[in-house]
Amino acid sequence: MEETARKKKSNIVLALDFPYEKPENRQTLYKKAEKIMDAVHPYICAVKFNHHLTLPLGLFNGVQKLLEKAHEKELPTIMDCKVNDIGSTNQVIAEYYYEAGFDALIANPFVGWDEGLKLVFEAAKKRGKGVILLTYMSHKGASEGYGQTVVDAESGQKTFQYMVFAKKALKWNADGVVVGATYPEKIKEVYAVLGGKIPIYSPGVGVQGGEIESAMKAGATYLIVGRAITLSENPVETAERIRSMAKGVK
Ligand code: XMP
């Protein structure tokens, strides 16, 4: 990621998301995804996939072909599957995504380590792949889970759930954390825990109302941007503008 970001002079991760299409029209989705990647690849440093494409196109053949195209353009790929089950199931999920070609996946630390995410980290390590942890999500309801006041099992002190997750990211040696751009004050707090050792991925810029400048000044390393680009009348112009706005901050 760092290398591509440097080369492309961009910290923009494209979320390759499109609105629902009738299953019989799913070929349209493939074409849309291919076209956007072809058009905006010079302005982005990675591509994030979600169920928007894996469900209608399937992982092998459909999405796998798009992963190959992304890799041809030297773009790392992230699967935003928010892994969230028991360890044995998580391991199978992770193995399929990594085998398909994904470089990293997003997982939910709520399930914990033992019989939770341990096997995902092991599967990643075996293949030289990455695991990125949710820490504070970008939507309003995030406060009901990630924002709860909890008692830290290790210190016995009252703290916020997302602060516990930030510490776990360090302990588990995660490759990134996700904190919504809609909450720059939370990015700042998480950044203070991570001390720059783990990059912060920040979704929520544009349609969800997050701002590039405040997110980056608070400590976001990468900005995840979806609909602002994929639904734009001129995706190239939009991607270029977002990249240069982000460049202007740091
Ligand atoms: P938009 O269109 O709002 O898309 O730019 C954002 C993309 O990021 C995903 N998303 C998140 N993923 N943690 C994540 O791991 C989050 O807090 C979060 N918020 C948004 C969203 O599903 C979409 O793909």
Side-chain angles (χ1 to χ4, degrees), residues 15 17 48 50 80 82 106 134 136-138 178 203 205 208 224-227:
D17 301 339
K48 183 182 83 67
N50 207 325
D80 189 357
K82 301 183 175 71
I106 297 177
L134 292 179
Y136 197 94
M137 289 186 70
S138 55
V178 185
V205 163
Q208 294 184 63
I224 297 175
V225 187
R227 289 163 294 174

Side-chain angles (χ1 to χ4, degrees), residues 11-27:
N11 68 338
I12 310 302
V13 176
L14 172 68
L16 204 51
D17 301 339
F18 301 96
Y20 172 81
E21 285 278 353
K22 286 201 167 129
E24 57 269 33
N25 297 336
R26 61 188 182 279
Q27 220 23 49

Side-chain angles (χ1 to χ4, degrees), residues 51-62:
H51 302 300
H52 301 60
L53 288 178
T54 48
L55 288 177
L57 300 182
L59 181 56
F60 294 96
N61 292 319

